Every structure is written in structure tokens, then in C-alpha cells.
Amino acid sequence: SKIPTDRAAYGSIVVLYDLDRDEKVTYKLVTSEESEPENGLISTVSPIGQSLMGKEEGDEVKVKTPTGWRNFEITRLTTIHDLEE
């Protein structure tokens, strides 16, 4: 019940549009134990996960990645509450 219904948090599926590479990428925010970046499962404590936490659909996010800074726009956000319906 403490997980927000309108912002990215644990369990959210976030569709990002990469403003630099003109492509979409989808991540699910999970715990560090569940993390599998190669499969789109991003830890909430990773740099990408931390930058997404608390953000809403339409927000632009600047993320520091191992290959440098990347700019994303959140085009779709599905929270854990939406998945339970």
C-alpha cells in the first residue's frame, strides 16, 4: 500500500523513449536480488533504477550509464497496482 499508484516504484514497468538513439526500451523495476539487466529487470538501487524512481509518464530522465549519459522520456508507466487488476 506504500507503493505509489501514479509514479515509478518497485514493480513498475517503464517504457522509455531514448531521445539520443531514437528507440524504445522497457524496464521493470525490481529488487537487487531479482535484477537481470540483460532481460530488462533493473534494480531500484541501480543508477537507472534510481533515476526512474518517483517519476511519472511524460517525465524526461537523464541517466548515467556505463557508456555515458543518456536522455529518456517516460512514454508509458504501468505500476504494480495496474498489474494486479
Side-chain angles (χ1 to χ4, degrees):
S1 64
K2 293 182 180 181
I3 296 174
T5 58
D6 61 344
R7 296 181 180 274
Y10 171 78
S12 294
I13 297 172
V14 185
V15 179
L16 302 172
Y17 174 70
D18 188 323
L19 298 168
D20 304 316
R21 297 183 183 177
D22 192 30
E23 62 186 18
K24 284 191 175 180
V25 62
T26 301
Y27 293 129
K28 181 173 183 182
L29 296 172
V30 297
T31 65
S32 53
E33 291 81 19
E34 301 169 294
S35 177
E36 292 178 18
E38 65 279 2
N39 294 321
L41 301 176
I42 300 296
S43 168
T44 56
V45 296
S46 70
I48 294 173
Q50 286 183 326
S51 65
L52 294 174
M53 294 291 287
K55 299 291 192 248
E56 299 178 84
E57 231 174 70
D59 284 353
E60 285 193 16
V61 183
K62 189 172 187 175
V63 178
K64 186 174 185 179
T65 69
T67 57
W69 288 96
R70 291 176 61 189
N71 297 293
F72 296 101
E73 180 181 343
I74 299 175
T75 59
R76 187 152 167 235
L77 172 65
T78 306
T79 69
I80 198 168
H81 302 287
D82 297 325
L83 298 171
E84 291 174 350
E85 293 175 356

